């Protein structure tokens, strides 16, 4: 199934790249939670639904824009983010993606996906995984080298500012901070050795945002965790929020951040 998902994702990201400068794609046509659905979000979602429905597999969809679709007579659950980093996409900032994570019927946990794909719309790079391994453009990742410099990808609200300051004060090396705007690609930077640590403690992330990237990382033994260093636990049968997520292959960084968050 991984090959099927890769083929579909390549088509979707090519479609989105061609659509990026067209008039009217930013029009708001709906709302879900604290977010909005724009014309381009819906177009991408509908195209993904169509291609998965014609793939030969029977899916229930859990998607950012439409919630739960096809509740009956399914074999697999597809967790879909049809456009992650939509603000970047609409403003020509080349950091946005499409992600699809697939689960067998009966699975309940976000970290139990057996295959999935994240596709970078602008670079066309494809990140995928199967039951055993993770791949970049179909090349299996076998070794991971830590980044040369401490790069922190961070998202936090004003109420958590003191916790983050305590964490940064605990570091004894120079660091750089970025907030890039696409959770799935941000996480993959950490899990491919390009960034040191990622965290989002705003309570705004949803399972659809990070399902595929979380499992891409899990296959590399880099597990998304909460501030108690427990594996994240969230369901997959509907769109659900994730209060916090921290991710790093560096156990010292993880422990330092967790301690700072617990103290606040």
């Amino acid at each position: 199934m991984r090959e099927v998902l890769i083929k579909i994702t390549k088509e979707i990201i090519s479609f989105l790249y061609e659509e990026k400068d067209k008039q009217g794609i930013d029009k708001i046509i709906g709302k879900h939670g604290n977010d909005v659905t724009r014309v381009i979000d819906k177009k991408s979602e509908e195209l993904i639904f169509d291609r998965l429905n014609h793939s030969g597999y029977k899916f229930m969809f859990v998607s950012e824009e439409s919630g739960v679709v096809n509740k009956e007579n399914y074999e697999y659950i597809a967790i879909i983010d049809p456009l992650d980093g939509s603000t970047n996409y609409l403003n020509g900032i080349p950091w946005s993606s499409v992600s699809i994570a697939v689960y067998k019927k009966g699975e309940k946990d976000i970290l139990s996906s057996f295959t999935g794909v994240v596709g970078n719309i602008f670079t066309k790079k494809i990140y995928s995984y199967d039951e055993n391994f993770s791949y970049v453009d179909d090349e299996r990742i076998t070794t991971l080298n830590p980044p040369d410099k401490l790069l922190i990808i961070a998202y936090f609200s004003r109420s958590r500012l003191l916790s983050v300051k305590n964490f940064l004060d605990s570091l004894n090396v120079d660091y750089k901070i970025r907030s890039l705007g696409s959770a799935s690609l941000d996480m993959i930077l950490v899990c491919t050795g390009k960034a040191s640590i990622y965290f989002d403690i705003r309570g705004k992330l949803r399972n659809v945002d990070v399902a595929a990237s979380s499992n891409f990382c899990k296959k590399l033994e880099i597990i998304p965790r909460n501030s108690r260093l427990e594996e994240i636990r969230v369901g997959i049968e509907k769109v659900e929020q994730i209060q916090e997520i921290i991710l790093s292959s560096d156990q010292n960084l993880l422990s330092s951040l967790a301690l700072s968050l617990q103290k606040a």
Side-chain angles (χ1 to χ4, degrees):
M1 189 186 291
R2 184 177 71 92
E3 289 77 12
V4 171
L5 296 181
I6 288 173
K7 181 180 178 181
I8 291 171
T9 301
K10 285 182 176 179
E11 180 183 354
I12 303 303
I13 62 178
S14 293
F15 165 78
L16 287 170
Y17 189 83
E18 294 299 321
E19 292 283 306
K20 62 183 174 59
D21 295 320
K22 292 186 177 179
Q23 295 293 320
I25 61 172
D26 60 342
K27 181 181 178 181
I28 296 173
I29 57 175
K31 292 186 177 182
H32 49 279
N34 296 320
D35 211 343
V36 298
T37 297
R38 301 181 187 274
V39 167
I40 192 60
D41 298 310
K42 198 63 179 175
K43 281 186 174 183
S44 180
E45 181 188 67
E46 289 175 348
L47 190 56
I48 294 170
F49 285 179
D50 178 76
R51 296 303 185 262
L52 288 175
N53 278 329
H54 289 88
S55 66
Y57 301 99
K58 295 180 179 179
F59 291 99
M60 178 177 85
F61 303 130
V62 180
S63 179
E64 183 168 13
E65 314 307 328
S66 296
V68 181
V69 180
N70 294 351
K71 295 182 181 180
E72 307 295 334
N73 193 31
Y74 65 91
E75 300 170 310
Y76 302 97
I77 301 173
I79 308 294
I80 298 164
D81 191 344
L83 179 50
D84 180 24
S86 56
T87 299
N88 287 349
Y89 174 83
L90 292 169
N91 287 284
I93 301 170
W95 195 251
S96 54
S97 63
V98 172
S99 64
I100 306 170
V102 176
Y103 301 76
K104 295 176 182 178
K105 185 175 183 179
E107 294 289 359
K108 306 289 185 183
D109 177 43
I110 192 172
L111 293 178
S112 62
S113 168
F114 75 96
T115 190
V117 175
V118 176
N120 186 316
I121 295 165
F122 288 87
T123 67
K124 305 297 194 298
K125 193 171 285 291
I126 297 291
Y127 305 92
S128 65
Y129 59 92
D130 55 26
E131 291 186 282
N132 299 304
F133 305 112
S134 292
Y135 307 83
V136 178
D137 286 339
D138 225 24
E139 182 176 342
R140 177 185 159 191
I141 302 174
T142 55
T143 58
L144 283 176
N145 298 314
D148 295 332
K149 296 182 179 180
L150 183 54
L151 177 60
I152 300 167
I153 303 176
Y155 300 83
F156 51 90
S157 57
R158 183 178 300 177
S159 63
R160 308 300 293 275
L161 182 58
L162 181 59
S163 300
V164 175
K165 179 181 182 300
N166 290 338
F167 166 61
L168 297 176
D169 287 346
S170 73
L171 302 175
N172 57 8
V173 295
D174 292 335
Y175 57 84
K176 293 185 177 181
I177 299 178
R178 298 289 185 271
S179 296
L180 302 174
S182 172
S184 56
L185 293 178
D186 294 348
M187 292 174 67
I188 286 172
L189 281 181
V190 172
C191 298
T192 53
K194 304 295 192 303
S196 308
I197 188 168
Y198 163 89
F199 63 90
D200 191 323
I201 53 177
R202 300 171 298 168
K204 292 184 177 181
L205 279 180
R206 291 147 297 192
N207 51 358
V208 292
D209 298 321
V210 299
S213 54
S214 290
N215 286 280
F216 176 91
C217 292
K218 182 183 178 183
K219 305 304 179 185
L220 298 168
E221 300 184 353
I222 305 174
I223 310 296
R225 301 183 183 276
N226 60 28
S227 62
R228 297 179 297 280
L229 296 184
E230 302 163 338
E231 294 184 7
I232 57 170
R233 285 286 177 259
V234 63
I236 60 172
E237 295 180 312
K238 61 180 180 179
V239 178
E240 293 189 23
Q241 282 190 320
I242 301 174
Q243 290 303 310
E244 53 188 16
I245 181 169
I246 64 178
L247 181 75
S248 180
S249 61
D250 187 322
Q251 297 304 310
N252 291 328
L253 276 179
L254 281 177
S255 297
S256 181
L257 176 58
L259 183 61
S260 297
L261 294 176
Q262 291 168 25
K263 283 183 176 179

